[in-house]
Amino acid sequence: MLYKFLIDILQYSLPSITAIALFYLTFKKDNYSYKKAMEKERIEKCYFPFYRFYFTGMLAKIPFSKLTTENREQFITLLTNNLYLLDVTSQALFSALYSAHVELIVAQKSNSDLAIYEHTLDVAFFELKQSIFAEYKHLLKKLGLPVPKS
C-alpha cells in the first residue's frame, strides 16, 4: 500500500521536478553564455582596439601628451564610444583623462606653460592604461585566450 502510494506520488511529481530542473539548468547555461558573449564583446570592441592603438600609436615609447590633438581625440573617441564596456575603475579614470585632455587644449590655445598640463595628462593616461591592461589580461584569462606579456 505504501509502495503504491510512493509510486503514485513519483508518477505525478516527477514530470514537474524534471521540468523545474531543466528550466534551472537552461537558465544557468544561458546566463553563462551571455556573460561569455559580453566578455568577448568587451575584448573585441574596447580592450583589443585599445591595446592595438597603444602599440601601433607608439604610446609605449611616446608620452600621450606628445601625440597630436587629433590623435589624442581619435583615441579618446575610441574609449568614449565603448565606455560602457570598461570596468568601473577604468570609467572613473577615463573621466580624469578626458578632463586633463581638455585642460591641455585650453592651455595650448591660451599659450600657457604646458608642462604641468602635459604631466597631468600623462599621469592620467598612465593610470587608465594600467587599469585597462589589467582588466584586458583578466578577461583573456577568463576566456582561455593567450595573455600578452606587456
Side-chain angles (χ1 to χ4, degrees):
M1 186 70 113
L2 181 62
Y3 177 70
K4 184 174 181 339
F5 177 71
L6 291 175
I7 294 291
D8 286 344
I9 289 177
L10 281 176
Q11 183 179 6
Y12 293 111
S13 63
L14 194 57
S16 298
I17 292 170
T18 303
I20 291 170
L22 188 58
F23 173 78
Y24 176 76
L25 292 174
T26 302
F27 174 77
K28 290 300 253 179
K29 180 186 171 280
D30 289 346
N31 192 29
Y32 176 80
S33 297
Y34 174 76
K35 285 181 180 179
K36 289 296 179 189
M38 282 304 299
E39 289 168 352
K40 186 176 179 188
E41 180 182 5
R42 291 173 71 195
I43 287 175
E44 290 174 352
K45 288 187 175 180
C46 187
Y47 291 94
F48 182 71
F50 177 92
Y51 184 78
R52 182 178 52 228
F53 190 92
Y54 180 78
F55 285 104
T56 61
M58 299 301 289
L59 288 170
K61 298 182 191 280
I62 300 171
F64 189 68
S65 62
K66 298 303 180 191
L67 293 177
T68 64
T69 302
E70 293 79 24
N71 284 343
R72 285 194 317 264
E73 287 178 356
Q74 178 186 12
F75 179 78
I76 287 173
T77 299
L78 165 74
L79 291 178
T80 303
N81 291 340
N82 297 298
L83 196 57
Y84 69 101
L85 298 170
L86 293 174
D87 67 342
V88 292
T89 304
S90 295
Q91 288 177 10
L93 293 170
F94 173 76
S95 178
L97 175 76
Y98 189 80
S99 295
H101 170 68
V102 170
E103 289 172 2
L104 178 60
I105 291 172
V106 169
Q108 287 170 333
K109 289 181 180 178
S110 65
N111 294 324
S112 299
D113 182 25
L114 301 180
I116 188 72
Y117 298 103
E118 289 174 343
H119 177 73
T120 302
L121 180 62
D122 290 334
V123 168
F125 176 76
F126 177 79
E127 291 172 353
L128 177 62
K129 173 195 71 146
Q130 294 296 97
S131 177
I132 288 177
F133 280 166
E135 182 67 11
Y136 179 53
K137 290 177 182 180
H138 175 73
L139 287 172
L140 290 173
K141 284 180 187 176
K142 281 177 79 172
L143 293 173
L145 298 171
V147 178
K149 292 186 182 205
S150 43

